[in-house]
Amino acid sequence: MKDLQEIRKEIDSIDRQIVDLYEKRMDLATQVADYKISTGKQVFDAEREIAKLNAVAQMAHSDFTSHGARELFEHIMSMSRKKQYQLLTEYGKFAPTGFVEIRELDFSHAAAAYIETSAAAAQKYFAGSARQYDTAAQEKSSAAPIRKDGADSDRQDTRTKGCGLLLCESWREACEVLKKGEVNYLFLPVQDPASGYVSANYNLIAEYGFYILEEYWMSPEPQDCYVLISKDKLSLSGADKISICFEAPDTCGSLYHLMSHLTYNNLNMNRIESIVISREPLDYRFFMNISGNLNDSPIKNAILGLRDEARNFKILGNYR
């Protein structure tokens, strides 16, 4: 039997070879990226990767090492793609997100929908926001009534200094009035009061194609967090939070590989929830909050990867 120290020396020697070969492989990945950038070819080629994984698995000599080789090369190819996404960003090949950055929101001549559980927060938020506008504009805005007719005639209408407020019974109803253009904004609680989850509410934002503009806290407690929502793809200056969603199948490692785009780029995820969107086959929509701004290079790298590899990836907002 070999001495332990002797075995470890052999392992160290092999590890140095592995690192050397890994760096050579990544250099070739850079050349692949240069080719794809010049030709417009996509980074992620699922068929090529599946074929490659099957091939390396067959090179191994036992079931255990075959499984290990497949997992090892999944990581190697994943890191190769991330290097390519990084180079695409550096070469300015990042597809614009479409968000327009603005300094402040204008609530004059505007209206916002809210629900009963966000009433006190809405009054405080809009009263505070209105201070930036002149008195004449505020009076003109406050004097203009919100249209209420037909099925909407039973909604309660109240006023703050800079924005009309329209009471709705549910998140769904509030989304409908924004969709119809009856209001400019939604001001709603993040959490569902009954369950404490946000996924069902965020799912409505994704479903309607709306965007989060700002987060507002009445207290440090999670149930006292509210969001301002709009149809417009806007981002306030200084935005440092991003909400995203995407879909993934119920297969081993699907979420793990997608989340690697965050860890590889040293991004901080501070919330994750999911909702079932299909049962046959079983599919999920995941909602994540991450720290950062859409103009940050690590964020751009991660978005490139998620756009390429996840299904129905969406940015729900870049806000503060």
Side-chain angles (χ1 to χ4, degrees), residues 35-303:
Y35 175 82
K36 289 181 177 178
I37 288 169
S38 65
T39 61
K41 186 177 176 63
Q42 274 196 314
V43 170
F44 185 48
D45 186 341
E47 291 185 5
R48 154 75 178 167
E49 294 209 0
I50 291 171
K52 182 67 176 178
L53 291 173
N54 289 337
V56 297
Q58 291 173 5
M59 295 177 190
H61 298 88
S62 71
D63 289 343
F64 179 83
T65 53
S66 176
H67 181 84
R70 176 182 288 273
E71 185 171 344
L72 173 62
F73 274 83
E74 279 183 344
H75 285 282
I76 290 174
M77 289 191 290
S78 176
M79 286 182 282
S80 174
R81 292 197 305 274
K82 291 176 178 65
K83 177 64 175 178
Q84 293 177 54
Y85 294 132
Q86 187 180 74
L87 290 170
L88 284 169
T89 299
E90 291 176 2
Y91 293 158
K93 298 296 183 179
F94 176 77
T97 60
F99 280 82
V100 177
E101 184 176 322
I102 59 173
R103 292 185 61 187
E104 295 293 343
L105 293 164
D106 185 357
F107 296 117
S108 57
H109 312 292
Y114 70 106
I115 59 178
E116 188 62 41
T117 52
S118 61
Q123 291 280 350
K124 186 174 181 180
Y125 175 86
F126 287 107
S129 299
R131 285 197 297 269
Q132 64 186 290
Y133 305 111
D134 60 70
T135 304
Q138 292 171 7
E139 290 176 351
K140 184 176 181 181
S141 174
S142 298
I146 300 174
R147 283 185 57 192
K148 296 187 296 178
D149 49 26
D152 300 333
S153 61
D154 59 343
R155 292 203 190 98
Q156 295 182 33
D157 179 17
T158 186
R159 302 275 129 199
T160 62
K161 290 183 179 179
C163 188
L165 293 178
L166 186 62
L167 177 62
C168 296
E169 292 186 359
S170 66
W171 263 75
R172 172 72 69 178
E173 183 186 8
C175 287
E176 283 294 325
V177 299
L178 179 58
K179 178 183 177 181
K180 294 174 184 176
E182 296 180 37
V183 295
N184 312 88
Y185 304 101
L186 307 182
F187 188 84
L188 302 170
V190 170
Q191 288 190 352
D192 173 54
S195 67
Y197 293 118
V198 305
S199 52
N201 297 337
Y202 273 44
N203 198 48
L204 285 175
I205 298 174
E207 177 186 332
Y208 280 88
F210 297 158
Y211 303 97
I212 301 169
L213 301 180
E214 196 163 28
E215 199 173 58
Y216 181 74
W217 292 77
M218 286 283 279
S219 85
E221 298 300 320
Q223 65 268 22
D224 287 332
C225 180
Y226 303 84
V227 284
L228 184 70
I229 301 165
S230 170
K231 288 193 291 187
D232 299 321
K233 216 172 189 181
L234 302 175
S235 174
L236 286 166
S237 298
D240 58 0
K241 300 174 184 176
I242 301 171
S243 288
I244 62 174
C245 71
F246 55 82
E247 296 166 17
D250 183 34
T251 56
C252 180
S254 61
L255 178 61
Y256 170 78
H257 290 299
L258 292 171
M259 287 184 63
S260 68
H261 289 287
L262 305 184
T263 56
Y264 187 85
N265 288 289
N266 295 314
L267 299 177
N268 179 41
M269 180 189 69
N270 44 57
R271 179 190 289 274
I272 179 171
E273 288 189 17
S274 65
I275 191 169
V276 175
I277 58 172
S278 170
R279 295 201 174 273
E280 292 185 6
L282 186 59
D283 283 348
Y284 295 88
R285 177 173 290 148
F286 291 92
F287 299 88
M288 292 183 184
N289 287 357
I290 57 178
S291 301
N293 186 281
L294 291 174
N295 293 317
D296 299 340
S297 292
I299 294 290
K300 290 181 178 180
N301 297 341
I303 287 175

Side-chain angles (χ1 to χ4, degrees), residues 1-12:
M1 180 180 295
K2 288 184 180 179
D3 178 74
L4 178 59
Q5 294 304 317
E6 184 181 349
I7 296 172
R8 286 176 173 172
K9 286 181 181 179
E10 289 187 26
I11 290 175
D12 290 342

